[in-house]
Amino acid sequence: MCGIVGYVGCRNATPVLLNGLRKLEYRGYDSAGIAVLSKSSDEIVVKKSKGALKFLVEKITKEVVRTSESMSDADADRRFSELVGKTGDFIDGCVGIGHTRWATHGEPSDLNAHPHTNVSGSIAVVHNGIVENYGKLKSWLQSNGIVFKSQTDTEVIAHLLNYFYERTNNIFNAVLETLHRLEGSYAIGVICRDFPDRLIAARKESPLVVGVGNGENFIASDVPAVLEHTREVHFLEQNEIAVLYSDHVDLFNSEGEKIVRGTTHIDWNMDAAEKGGYAHFMLKEIHEQPSALENTIRAHMLFGDDGKPSGLTFSKEIEPERFRELVSGARRIVITACGTAYHAGVVGKYAFEKFARVPTVVDVASEFRYRNPILGEGDVFIVISQSGETADTLAALRLAKSKGAKVIAITNSVGSSVSRESDFVIYTLAGPEIAVASTKAYTTQLACLYMLSMMFGRERGIIGDGEYARLLGEFAAVPEKVQQILDEKAAVQKFASSQFNKSKIFYIGRQFDSASSLESALKLKEVSYMHCEAFAAGELKHGPIALVDPDTLVIAIATEPPLFEKLASNIEEVKSRRAVTMCITQDDSGAFEKCCDEIIKIPATESAFESILSVVPAQLFAYYCSVLRGNDPDKPRNLAKSVTVE
Ligand code: M6R
């Protein structure tokens, strides 16, 4: 949902800003812009362009990135970096802000691109979020004679800053006054010609990180944008303001009172945020799943002297006493999330009911938050969010807390709003997920849910000693089984090359597999733009089968042996309507051979855990279809990685 960056230091700001924006393009990519306080003219120079970041770089350097049609992507990448390196020759200055946009108010265009300025161009602002009362503010500013250049909500911030600056002659006070009048969400970066030594940043709801360097400081919407410069950061808290100078950073609360807080050290290295030889982040992240799962599982698994798994612990997240209280008091588990994280929650529902025998409901956060939900004593509330900043998920979390529920968060983002506001936090150790389509975050979310549900089952006496040891042994082996699937990816690639032009694709499955179907279908929609739906297999005959014709591909996920026969009958039903059929299964009894045109084999494990395995071929299928259709899987149209607006 838009990415913002800012720099103050001794280096030329322009390439620093553009390189930072490159790391944030996953947050929005319909236009980009920068504003730099030029040393030579003492004015703020603004450059903006509709479309991907490369168009902005081309505009600044007046050179093209792709010099010939046959240029490879890798060469185009290199040339892009080369041109970014030259941008400092065109705009000098050591203080600046930048933005990559995901349009909310106003179509993607040069004019609507950020930064926005006051009328004289002496103040520039970049913004991520939505100013909900912008209509009222705009009318008021217009009645004061301001003529707006763009259709954005953000432009009101620039004019309000100007209004208060004219009255206070102090840019910090102008920021404070302006923020007090904004409703909605924001992360902003502000520079002012009259204060060339500083950059001011603030946040409410939308995330913002301050990178603390040596003789230089940075702001960014997300950590990867500052990682190449520093690993010391401040995660700005709600309503905080930061004033960055080259040699220090001051933090303030919303009343302008100083706050003293140490920095947080980021453990990831740069490699984690780079493509590392893969054509796309999505492919890299699919391949990182064995290690991401291993890290996530090992963080909670105990091993005996014989090296075998001997137990699970969440004691780092929830003290054993409180965990026991949670478990014994749990009357119901309520899981809430959005998108892929919601799909993880659907798998979680099956896991909690199977392993812990606790009634579990799962709901999308955008519905939950407006339903006046019934929550009470004994409800354990679980929110799942990769980014930890999703607006609907946060609202659901706050609502659950206000009703007295204990909240457990499963998130990938240390320091995120979700992690800060929950009672207990379980981290997925997936590392940074850059591709918009979530892959390794999903499977590590599943890992946390399985472990939590087994712990609940163990504590409630549902899982006995022998069964616990068997389950843990199976679970510990899941990462290497994911690796086996990746080693056989050529079969999925080949299948994708024969199916990527299908007009309709359906995923079907039963129980855990119907949950996996939801995620598999979402993946395909997101990156290939093919029309794909997921159905509980038994539901086909109640309507959806009317859609089936020879141009339909039906992919069955089959990992529940007691239901194989039923599922095979469902596949027969679509096959007899001449659909192409494919099955993802661990079965080697031949149950699906007759009814399926293609079978992708996955390794066998405890059937409940197969959900972590069965989604991997589906992720690969989505990735290959996307590439075969000429899309950029890392930046699917109309989507953004972190949805910080409603
Ligand atoms: O950061 P979150 O996990 O809260 O994000 C939730 C969804 O926006 C996210 O999973 C989205 O559906 C992804 N694009 C899925 O690939």
Side-chain angles (χ1 to χ4, degrees), residues 3 25 71 82 93 143 147 154 177 212 247 319 329 359 394 434 486 519 545 598 619 631:
E25 257 197 309
M71 192 176 208
E82 201 183 294
S143 68
V147 178
T154 303
E177 293 294 338
V212 179
D247 56 355
E319 313 86 86
L394 258 173
I434 309 289
L486 295 170
E519 175 55 12
I545 201 163
E598 181 80 28
Q619 294 168 341
N631 304 340

mmCIF file of all heavy atoms in Angstrom, residues 3 25 71 82 93 143 147 154 177 212 247 319 329 359 394 434 486 519 545 598 619 631:
data_model
loop_
_atom_site.group_PDB
_atom_site.id
_atom_site.type_symbol
_atom_site.label_atom_id
_atom_site.label_comp_id
_atom_site.label_asym_id
_atom_site.label_seq_id
_atom_site.Cartn_x
_atom_site.Cartn_y
_atom_site.Cartn_z
ATOM 1 N N GLY A 3 4.932 2.732 -0.791
ATOM 2 C CA GLY A 3 6.177 2.623 -0.047
ATOM 3 C C GLY A 3 6.785 4.005 0.063
ATOM 4 O O GLY A 3 6.769 4.775 -0.910
ATOM 5 N N GLU A 25 9.068 -1.655 -4.098
ATOM 6 C CA GLU A 25 8.115 -1.650 -5.217
ATOM 7 C C GLU A 25 6.989 -2.656 -5.013
ATOM 8 O O GLU A 25 5.912 -2.509 -5.577
ATOM 9 C CB GLU A 25 8.841 -1.922 -6.529
ATOM 10 C CG GLU A 25 9.050 -0.647 -7.342
ATOM 11 C CD GLU A 25 9.371 -0.948 -8.788
ATOM 12 O OE1 GLU A 25 10.285 -1.758 -9.008
ATOM 13 O OE2 GLU A 25 8.707 -0.380 -9.675
ATOM 14 N N MET A 71 17.023 -7.568 -25.036
ATOM 15 C CA MET A 71 17.802 -7.469 -23.792
ATOM 16 C C MET A 71 17.227 -8.405 -22.717
ATOM 17 O O MET A 71 16.011 -8.422 -22.493
ATOM 18 C CB MET A 71 17.726 -6.029 -23.292
ATOM 19 C CG MET A 71 18.696 -5.701 -22.198
ATOM 20 S SD MET A 71 18.522 -3.930 -21.856
ATOM 21 C CE MET A 71 20.128 -3.527 -21.279
ATOM 22 N N GLU A 82 22.770 0.743 -13.123
ATOM 23 C CA GLU A 82 23.759 1.681 -13.676
ATOM 24 C C GLU A 82 23.141 3.085 -13.797
ATOM 25 O O GLU A 82 23.723 4.086 -13.388
ATOM 26 C CB GLU A 82 24.102 1.163 -15.074
ATOM 27 C CG GLU A 82 25.390 1.607 -15.699
ATOM 28 C CD GLU A 82 25.414 0.991 -17.110
ATOM 29 O OE1 GLU A 82 25.481 -0.253 -17.233
ATOM 30 O OE2 GLU A 82 25.312 1.773 -18.066
ATOM 31 N N GLY A 93 22.039 16.933 -3.864
ATOM 32 C CA GLY A 93 21.327 17.214 -2.603
ATOM 33 C C GLY A 93 21.390 16.011 -1.692
ATOM 34 O O GLY A 93 21.357 14.867 -2.156
ATOM 35 N N SER A 143 -11.523 26.970 0.093
ATOM 36 C CA SER A 143 -12.190 28.231 0.452
ATOM 37 C C SER A 143 -11.165 29.273 0.914
ATOM 38 O O SER A 143 -11.442 30.458 0.949
ATOM 39 C CB SER A 143 -13.240 27.991 1.541
ATOM 40 O OG SER A 143 -12.572 27.645 2.736
ATOM 41 N N VAL A 147 -5.497 26.160 -4.809
ATOM 42 C CA VAL A 147 -5.894 25.415 -6.010
ATOM 43 C C VAL A 147 -5.140 24.082 -5.998
ATOM 44 O O VAL A 147 -3.909 24.061 -5.941
ATOM 45 C CB VAL A 147 -5.560 26.216 -7.286
ATOM 46 C CG1 VAL A 147 -5.939 25.417 -8.535
ATOM 47 C CG2 VAL A 147 -6.269 27.564 -7.261
ATOM 48 N N THR A 154 -3.570 13.048 -0.298
ATOM 49 C CA THR A 154 -2.289 13.479 0.282
ATOM 50 C C THR A 154 -2.025 14.970 0.093
ATOM 51 O O THR A 154 -1.395 15.619 0.937
ATOM 52 C CB THR A 154 -1.138 12.679 -0.373
ATOM 53 O OG1 THR A 154 -1.403 11.304 -0.157
ATOM 54 C CG2 THR A 154 0.207 13.048 0.200
ATOM 55 N N GLU A 177 0.661 20.356 14.194
ATOM 56 C CA GLU A 177 -0.689 20.925 13.990
ATOM 57 C C GLU A 177 -1.424 20.175 12.888
ATOM 58 O O GLU A 177 -2.614 19.887 12.986
ATOM 59 C CB GLU A 177 -0.597 22.415 13.609
ATOM 60 C CG GLU A 177 -0.081 23.311 14.726
ATOM 61 C CD GLU A 177 -1.046 23.370 15.912
ATOM 62 O OE1 GLU A 177 -2.242 23.098 15.748
ATOM 63 O OE2 GLU A 177 -0.575 23.684 17.030
ATOM 64 N N VAL A 212 18.867 3.939 11.518
ATOM 65 C CA VAL A 212 19.868 4.807 12.141
ATOM 66 C C VAL A 212 21.249 4.409 11.643
ATOM 67 O O VAL A 212 21.747 3.313 11.920
ATOM 68 C CB VAL A 212 19.787 4.681 13.686
ATOM 69 C CG1 VAL A 212 20.837 5.565 14.357
ATOM 70 C CG2 VAL A 212 18.384 5.062 14.160
ATOM 71 N N ASP A 247 23.311 13.474 11.871
ATOM 72 C CA ASP A 247 24.078 12.858 12.954
ATOM 73 C C ASP A 247 23.230 12.322 14.105
ATOM 74 O O ASP A 247 23.760 11.720 15.020
ATOM 75 C CB ASP A 247 25.106 13.850 13.499
ATOM 76 C CG ASP A 247 24.468 15.143 13.969
ATOM 77 O OD1 ASP A 247 23.231 15.290 13.779
ATOM 78 O OD2 ASP A 247 25.174 15.993 14.528
ATOM 79 N N GLU A 319 4.379 -17.859 28.936
ATOM 80 C CA GLU A 319 4.946 -18.575 30.076
ATOM 81 C C GLU A 319 4.103 -19.824 30.338
ATOM 82 O O GLU A 319 2.876 -19.776 30.221
ATOM 83 C CB GLU A 319 4.949 -17.736 31.366
ATOM 84 C CG GLU A 319 5.460 -16.324 31.261
ATOM 85 C CD GLU A 319 4.356 -15.373 30.834
ATOM 86 O OE1 GLU A 319 3.619 -14.898 31.702
ATOM 87 O OE2 GLU A 319 4.226 -15.108 29.625
ATOM 88 N N GLY A 329 -8.715 -23.172 29.998
ATOM 89 C CA GLY A 329 -9.907 -22.324 29.941
ATOM 90 C C GLY A 329 -10.515 -22.258 28.543
ATOM 91 O O GLY A 329 -11.572 -21.661 28.347
ATOM 92 N N PRO A 359 -13.722 -26.592 19.748
ATOM 93 C CA PRO A 359 -14.493 -25.978 18.659
ATOM 94 C C PRO A 359 -13.758 -24.727 18.158
ATOM 95 O O PRO A 359 -13.305 -23.911 18.972
ATOM 96 C CB PRO A 359 -15.819 -25.590 19.308
ATOM 97 C CG PRO A 359 -15.854 -26.289 20.610
ATOM 98 C CD PRO A 359 -14.452 -26.633 21.002
ATOM 99 N N LEU A 394 -5.829 -5.805 12.152
ATOM 100 C CA LEU A 394 -5.566 -4.996 13.345
ATOM 101 C C LEU A 394 -6.866 -4.574 14.009
ATOM 102 O O LEU A 394 -7.002 -4.605 15.240
ATOM 103 C CB LEU A 394 -4.814 -3.733 12.931
ATOM 104 C CG LEU A 394 -3.316 -3.726 13.188
ATOM 105 C CD1 LEU A 394 -2.694 -2.484 12.580
ATOM 106 C CD2 LEU A 394 -3.035 -3.777 14.686
ATOM 107 N N ILE A 434 9.126 -10.842 0.105
ATOM 108 C CA ILE A 434 9.060 -9.650 -0.751
ATOM 109 C C ILE A 434 7.963 -9.791 -1.810
ATOM 110 O O ILE A 434 7.238 -8.841 -2.090
ATOM 111 C CB ILE A 434 10.421 -9.426 -1.473
ATOM 112 C CG1 ILE A 434 11.591 -9.456 -0.481
ATOM 113 C CG2 ILE A 434 10.411 -8.146 -2.294
ATOM 114 C CD1 ILE A 434 11.702 -8.291 0.451
ATOM 115 N N LEU A 486 10.181 -29.784 -4.280
ATOM 116 C CA LEU A 486 10.879 -28.768 -5.072
ATOM 117 C C LEU A 486 11.858 -29.425 -6.048
ATOM 118 O O LEU A 486 12.038 -28.954 -7.176
ATOM 119 C CB LEU A 486 11.612 -27.790 -4.153
ATOM 120 C CG LEU A 486 10.698 -26.937 -3.267
ATOM 121 C CD1 LEU A 486 11.502 -26.165 -2.222
ATOM 122 C CD2 LEU A 486 9.874 -25.978 -4.121
ATOM 123 N N GLU A 519 -6.346 -21.694 -0.802
ATOM 124 C CA GLU A 519 -5.077 -21.010 -0.954
ATOM 125 C C GLU A 519 -4.481 -21.253 -2.350
ATOM 126 O O GLU A 519 -3.932 -20.344 -2.973
ATOM 127 C CB GLU A 519 -4.093 -21.447 0.143
ATOM 128 C CG GLU A 519 -2.690 -20.899 0.026
ATOM 129 C CD GLU A 519 -2.615 -19.382 -0.057
ATOM 130 O OE1 GLU A 519 -3.618 -18.688 0.193
ATOM 131 O OE2 GLU A 519 -1.529 -18.880 -0.423
ATOM 132 N N ILE A 545 -20.792 -27.484 -10.827
ATOM 133 C CA ILE A 545 -20.514 -28.410 -11.934
ATOM 134 C C ILE A 545 -21.131 -27.908 -13.246
ATOM 135 O O ILE A 545 -20.701 -28.287 -14.339
ATOM 136 C CB ILE A 545 -20.975 -29.850 -11.576
ATOM 137 C CG1 ILE A 545 -20.233 -30.848 -12.463
ATOM 138 C CG2 ILE A 545 -22.479 -30.007 -11.625
ATOM 139 C CD1 ILE A 545 -20.268 -32.275 -11.956
ATOM 140 N N GLU A 598 -3.412 -36.276 -15.092
ATOM 141 C CA GLU A 598 -2.051 -36.026 -14.597
ATOM 142 C C GLU A 598 -2.068 -36.184 -13.079
ATOM 143 O O GLU A 598 -3.025 -35.781 -12.419
ATOM 144 C CB GLU A 598 -1.659 -34.576 -14.963
ATOM 145 C CG GLU A 598 -0.299 -34.158 -14.560
ATOM 146 C CD GLU A 598 0.792 -34.649 -15.509
ATOM 147 O OE1 GLU A 598 0.508 -34.855 -16.703
ATOM 148 O OE2 GLU A 598 1.922 -34.845 -15.017
ATOM 149 N N GLN A 619 1.643 -23.681 -5.618
ATOM 150 C CA GLN A 619 2.399 -22.415 -5.702
ATOM 151 C C GLN A 619 3.242 -22.400 -6.981
ATOM 152 O O GLN A 619 3.299 -21.401 -7.703
ATOM 153 C CB GLN A 619 3.334 -22.278 -4.493
ATOM 154 C CG GLN A 619 2.639 -22.122 -3.156
ATOM 155 C CD GLN A 619 3.592 -22.291 -1.980
ATOM 156 O OE1 GLN A 619 4.684 -22.859 -2.114
ATOM 157 N NE2 GLN A 619 3.191 -21.809 -0.812
ATOM 158 N N ASN A 631 3.381 -12.463 -17.320
ATOM 159 C CA ASN A 631 3.172 -11.554 -16.182
ATOM 160 C C ASN A 631 4.427 -11.457 -15.331
ATOM 161 O O ASN A 631 5.316 -12.297 -15.438
ATOM 162 C CB ASN A 631 2.050 -12.074 -15.275
ATOM 163 C CG ASN A 631 0.760 -12.274 -16.034
ATOM 164 O OD1 ASN A 631 0.577 -11.712 -17.109
ATOM 165 N ND2 ASN A 631 -0.127 -13.087 -15.492
#
